[in-house]
Amino acid sequence: MDADEAAPQGPGAPPAAPEKPGAPPDPSPSASRTPGPSPDPSPSAPQRPEASPDAPLDAPPPQPPRSDPAPDPATGTAIGTATPDGPGISGIAGLPLPYRIGVALALAAVAVAVCVHLGMVFLHVAPPNTVSKQHAATIDDWVYPEFEQNWKLFAPNPLQQNVAVQVRAQIRTPDGAVRTTSWYDLSAADGRAIDGNPLPSHTQQNALRRAWDYYAATHDGDNRVTGPRGTLAETYVRRLVVLRLVREGAAGEGGSVERVQVRSSTTNVAPPPWSEEEISLDPVHRVLPWWQVPAGERTGDMG
């Protein structure tokens, strides 16, 4: 009789000795159990893929295949993936170092230019103070004439005149002859460009008008300079009218503008019918002397 058959059975039998580590399982019928039906998994529980019979017991579950993004040609690293320095970064911070340095320098230059411009304009329009008086020449060179500030819109007595600026020129033709053009009404040309245009450009509206106001404010009725910026105002008006003449084709093919003459016609705006104000509506003409155009500006090249 075997030892297993001699072992007592029943409720009073002593417990079986524990199996030794590494010992093979007991092949006796008493050691095997009939597996019962397993409960149905919950519908909400995730289903894990079955492991391969040859896979080790502590192996992680298989992962679904994924497609890796294409590598960045500049860095050789897949775009949007983790790098040794950290997770994927988008925007300027994700650019290579040379590009980031270039962007930082460009932004710094723009910021400095904006701050300098705002500071100059502020000192120009602010009441006189120690800084504006000490650096008056530098401020004027920066502001005039392109960034001059004008507050007539908010003045108690706004501008109530129509000013027409006209110009004519002496042209040197390719064969050496000199001819004088007729008068070009530059203000009327600007008016035609603005009329019906919902978004007219700043130059069409203000360049010629502000240039003439600038000249009139720095010269007296005999066209003599009355301020330190009189020469600059004259140069600005001369260059502006020469550019307009070249644009209009006044010099013709192969011709050049040697001298220009500017005149203005100023007419007061009529008061409304209910006003008792009486003003003259007769135009006032102002004719400037002939200006010699420098050789480098005769063809419209102001470089």
Side-chain angles (χ1 to χ4, degrees), residues 14-294:
E19 298 181 8
K20 295 182 179 180
D26 189 1
S28 62
S30 60
S32 62
R33 296 180 181 178
T34 303
S38 59
D40 293 337
S42 174
S44 60
Q47 300 295 330
R48 298 180 59 183
E50 297 181 358
S52 173
D54 299 333
L57 296 179
D58 57 349
Q63 300 294 331
R66 65 177 184 180
S67 57
D68 295 333
D72 186 357
T75 61
T77 306
I79 301 175
T81 59
T83 61
D85 299 333
I89 303 175
S90 60
I92 297 178
L95 296 174
L97 181 59
Y99 292 94
R100 278 183 286 171
I101 295 175
V103 172
L105 293 177
L107 293 177
V110 172
V112 170
V114 171
C115 292
V116 170
H117 177 72
L118 293 179
M120 291 293 188
V121 174
F122 172 79
L123 293 174
H124 174 69
V125 301
N129 53 74
T130 304
V131 178
S132 62
K133 291 179 180 179
Q134 182 177 359
H135 303 283
T138 303
I139 296 172
D140 291 344
D141 291 341
W142 182 277
V143 172
Y144 291 106
E146 287 82 4
F147 305 119
E148 181 185 4
Q149 303 299 306
N150 184 289
W151 302 97
K152 289 184 179 180
L153 177 63
F154 305 101
N157 186 21
L159 184 63
Q160 299 178 3
Q161 294 176 329
N162 290 323
V163 181
V165 179
Q166 302 172 348
V167 62
R168 64 176 179 176
Q170 286 185 351
I171 305 299
R172 176 75 64 178
T173 60
D175 57 0
V178 177
R179 63 179 179 87
T180 302
T181 67
S182 57
W183 289 98
Y184 286 84
D185 195 336
L186 303 181
S187 298
D190 287 345
R192 289 191 298 268
I194 296 173
D195 189 19
N197 186 355
L199 297 173
S201 68
H202 176 74
T203 56
Q204 291 173 340
Q205 299 178 82
N206 299 316
L208 180 63
R209 179 182 64 84
R210 294 299 301 126
W212 185 253
D213 288 347
Y214 185 30
Y215 179 88
T218 55
H219 292 73
D220 59 14
D222 295 329
N223 300 315
R224 292 187 298 238
V225 176
T226 59
R229 299 186 299 272
T231 304
L232 175 62
E234 179 179 327
T235 303
Y236 184 48
V237 174
R238 187 193 69 236
R239 288 189 170 193
L240 183 60
V241 298
V242 170
L243 285 174
R244 296 289 296 271
L245 289 170
V246 173
R247 189 184 307 168
E248 295 288 339
E253 185 67 26
S256 61
V257 181
E258 289 199 342
R259 296 202 304 168
V260 294
Q261 187 179 27
V262 182
R263 72 179 184 182
S264 68
S265 177
T266 304
T267 307
N268 292 323
V269 177
W274 46 264
S275 175
E276 298 180 356
E277 183 182 5
E278 295 182 0
I279 59 175
S280 175
L281 300 181
D282 297 333
V284 176
H285 300 284
R286 181 175 182 175
V287 182
L288 274 57
W290 285 93
W291 290 336
Q292 189 72 27
V293 180

